[in-house]
Amino acid sequence: MSTAARNRHPGINLGNTDPHTHAQAEETLFGFWVFLMSDLVLFALLFATYASMIGATDGGPGPKDVFELSSAAIETGVLLLSSLTMGMASIAMKYKEHPTRLYGWLGVTLLLGLVFLGLEAHDFVKMASEGATPQRSGWLSSFYALVSTHGLHVLAGCIWLTISIIQLAVFGLRSEVKLRIMRLSLFWHLLDVVWIFIFSVVYLGGLA
Amino acid sequence: MPTTEGWWPLLFGRLSYDALPFYSAIATAAASVVVLGAITVVALITYLGRWRWLWREWLTSLDHKKIGIMYVVIAMVMLSRAVVEGSMMRAQQAIALDNPGYLEPEHFAQLFSTHGSIMIFFMAMPFLTGIINFALPMQIGAREVSFPLLNSISLWLTAGGAGLMMVSLVIGKFSTGGWSGYPPYTDAAFNPGVGPDYWIFAVTLSSLASTMTGINIAVTIYKKRCGGMSPFRMPLFCWTSLCTSVLMIFALPPLTVATGLLALDRYVGTHFFTNDGGGNMMNFANLFWLFGHPEVYILILPAFGVYSQVISNFSSKILYGYDSLIIATMCIAVLSFTVWVHHFFTMGQSADLNAVFGIATMTIGIPTGVKIFDWILTMAWGRVRFTVPMIYSLAFMVLFTVGGLTGILLANPAIDFQVHNSVFLVAHFHNMLIPGLLYGMIAAYTYWFPKAFGFRLDEWWGRVACGCWITGFCLAFLPLYPLGLMGMPRRTQEFFEPAYLPYTIVAGVGALFLLAALASLVTQLVVSIRRREELAVPGGDPWNGRTLEWAIPCPAPEYNFAVLPIVDSRDAFHAYKEKGTAYLDHRFYSDIEMPKNSMTGVVFGIALAAASFGFVWHIWWLAVLGVLVAIAAPVARSFVLDTTRIIPAEEVRRDHEAWLARLRKLPPADRAVETTPQNRGLAEAAAA
Amino acid sequence: MSAEVEEQEKKRELRSYIVGFVLAISLTALAFLVVAADLQTSTAYVVIGIAALAQVVVHFRFFLHISWQRSTRDDLQLILFTTLIIILMAGGTIWILNNLHHRMM
């Protein structure tokens, strides 16, 4: 029988490395999963709104006028890489590697998150300077609403990362801190899942 | 007064003297009632020197029972306001033949908007959330909900939204777009005032609070059940609460999206629902009812659970068709996501599309019908006791079936085209929600009141209130069916068709009964508090109950169960009583860990309500400050590690043994005398 | 639990992240290449759609560790139910609004 089969809950977990926190995580993490699913529905409706407004450019710029494949590709790469580094952070925490590793992976993830936000802000500024503001048309309104809701989530994730790093420094690897970092990693991975739909539907769908 | 230049707009945004309600005598009177009411409450608490007590025992408490009670208090206060508003509209319509009446059209439109918004978001939602919060953890044998702090945050968000609704009565004019807030009525182009903004923010706060409550309740049911409480041993109320919370989790996000995008249209100038710039206001109707239809079942399912408990309890029988009731509840929950188009059949989509949603709508009648039969068969050959909760349940079964039948009519798009936007619709949804929700919630309030405060509610005044609610409902809403078929549009402030008048007068008389019902509820509470010694039920089991919450003292201790129960059947407490193991001395007690009080919820809720007020009036510093405080509060809290306190085993043992000693001296009460002072909360069945 | 078992488990998890990352990046690259290569629009849509769905599965499987074989199924059931709701809501919205759009034009 593999150790995984004895896990009280599937998904990201602490397994037998910290049985006490692992037992607590069953309830906390399940609650967070439920929240994430609710959040996913929110994104789904923003997507549906976007899809229903694809033609509503009101004579203004359309996807082919304002999107750039290269910047979307770079953003996608950065976010995907940050998912990997977040995964490395979870492993470093679970298997109690040297603390500098955990700090390092969390720090890299934070950095990648900030780079992503910077790239996105740069895109928005550039689009706005070409006249593609949210006020221009229904399609642009729905584009900005969808993509910046994701951006706001990433920003929240970055704040959360910063707080986690501070709490690690203040409290060390207490079970409260562990549980928060586990939830953070769920949050971060799920933002990447949402981004898959954004680059596929919004950017690639618009440029294809 | 300088209101557009200099320092004024920086400090106070678009607030000005004109925001005060002195333009109309009625608005001034309403605002005065709110202000005087607030001053009276504050003065009274100060006079009694109870501020510290209120803060420590209630406002910052994370106890699920106290949070539940505070929700119900919010619901009752808001119910009073909304019933008065409804009665004002009925009074207007009773005199509105060729007569502008006493309410201006604008004012009438504000009234139906606030009436609807309050009844749904600040009466019904807090009421059912409060009842679930109060009763559910005890029913599954738990001491707490999964996330006590989140619970307090939800409560204070709801309170903040309700507060915003009350403030809107004093400062500024409310939206005229109805409870569903459709653009263009709520669009900046049509209404640049503060009304729609009040609606958006109050509803958004309530929506976020309900999403979090849904998560909390669902996880509690999944993870916090006591030993032996497998899902198919849970009381039916737990099942309906589970389905309601699942609906809350998935159906509230569309509302948040709808209000959020509407806010962007109004504040940023985007084009989601505008008439120009490629906007599509039909998407608002779509998003709103994606939430709105599951919402109907969020409202009704908990009441179904209450009725199941009450009918089984007061028929002294196990619930008939338990499994079928659960399956029916789950079917309703899933089907409720597939029918939202029936709220806008006439919007212009194709007949095929309407047909799909019409058929889906009709299928919901099937599981609901199953439930009615199950309840009838629960009563059959039982020993039915006509207590107040039972009378509400019976009234519900009859009236709800009538309402359900008119719902099947409306589900047919061809019929819907004929009666849409008429008072037939008003009659239908009041017919569903008053018996389907309000009666259930008042029945729950009556049923569980002793568990909260240790004494029963006065039976006679309860019956008076019940009679008035039933008579009032029938008179005020049944005439609207023929009136709707005659063609009277809803939301009519003045009309010119003499044939309408007799019906609107009857409906007006009905509104008087509803006001009397409200007054009787208040009287009942006052009378019961005065007679609390006589009505006390320290034994903890005033109704010969069947489920776990009746196995503990009245009022319930903070930790609910001195020792966590282990159950081996459905209706566990009833089984204990039959076996004679209901009141045992426990050999082992252990320390109990309970959450400490926290002011995070209070700060969070007030900060977001203040921020909302800032947004409504364009007081940007307040908006930013409120949002920052709301972010800082949970962050600061996350640095607090010492969040629980220990109740020593010795203290638990002492209290529990004292209760048992007292219980054994109580006179057992036969069911025939359960509404008299002879009932001290010890059932004869248990003593025998 | 012995250190050896723990070490094995750690390796397994590490491998899972790396495999997931490689799969995800390949699927992403495929989708972007299809657009960069200017394929026929309808073909491109199909490829992008399949790649996106595959990548979602990869993320859930390798990054979020959700699979079919574990003993507790709460998380999986939750995700599947959410998928159903999303299909109903988003699909319904698009259907209704396109139908309206079509009839209004």
Side-chain angles (χ1 to χ4, degrees), chain B residues 358-533:
Chain B
I359 292 166
T361 305
M362 290 181 203
T363 53
I364 290 200
I366 298 168
T368 315
V370 167
K371 292 185 164 214
I372 298 278
F373 285 114
D374 280 335
W375 290 321
I376 292 174
L377 287 167
T378 303
M379 289 190 295
W381 303 287
R383 184 179 165 197
V384 180
R385 290 120 65 193
F386 292 96
T387 55
V388 170
M390 192 65 190
I391 300 172
Y392 277 115
S393 307
L394 291 169
F396 152 78
M397 279 198 273
V398 176
L399 295 173
F400 190 81
T401 309
V402 172
L405 288 174
T406 61
I408 299 287
L409 289 179
L410 281 168
N412 187 327
I415 297 175
D416 184 83
F417 266 73
Q418 297 304 312
V419 292
H420 96 279
N421 220 31
S422 75
V423 289
F424 189 89
L425 176 71
V426 177
H428 166 70
F429 66 70
H430 283 86
N431 199 344
M432 301 318 269
L433 289 177
I434 295 179
L437 172 110
L438 189 64
Y439 290 2
M441 291 302 113
I442 301 177
Y445 159 76
T446 316
Y447 184 62
W448 279 307
F449 188 90
K451 193 50 69 185
F453 296 104
F455 55 96
R456 288 181 295 113
L457 283 169
D458 184 81
E459 184 76 9
W460 193 79
W461 277 105
R463 285 176 189 225
V464 172
C466 186
C468 287
W469 282 120
I470 295 169
T471 319
F473 163 75
C474 292
L475 289 177
F477 293 101
L478 296 184
L480 301 196
Y481 283 121
L483 208 48
L485 293 175
M486 287 157 72
M488 181 174 170
R490 68 191 292 203
R491 298 172 174 171
T492 300
Q493 176 261 348
E494 182 180 359
F495 57 84
F496 308 95
E497 169 56 69
Y500 295 166
L501 191 63
Y503 297 94
T504 61
I505 290 177
V506 174
V509 173
L512 289 178
F513 274 93
L514 293 174
L515 282 175
L518 190 66
S520 315
L521 273 189
V522 176
T523 314
Q524 183 197 30
L525 187 61
V526 173
V527 168
S528 310
I529 293 174
R530 288 213 173 142
R531 295 179 57 205
R532 61 185 177 278
E533 294 300 326

Side-chain angles (χ1 to χ4, degrees), chain A residues 27 38 58 135 138 141 167 180, chain B residues 146 224 249 268 271 277 638:
Chain A
E27 191 170 359
S38 180
D58 191 35
Q135 291 87 353
S141 300
Q167 292 198 335
R180 283 176 197 146
Chain B
S146 285
K224 276 243 181 299
I249 294 160
V268 186
H271 293 286
S638 74

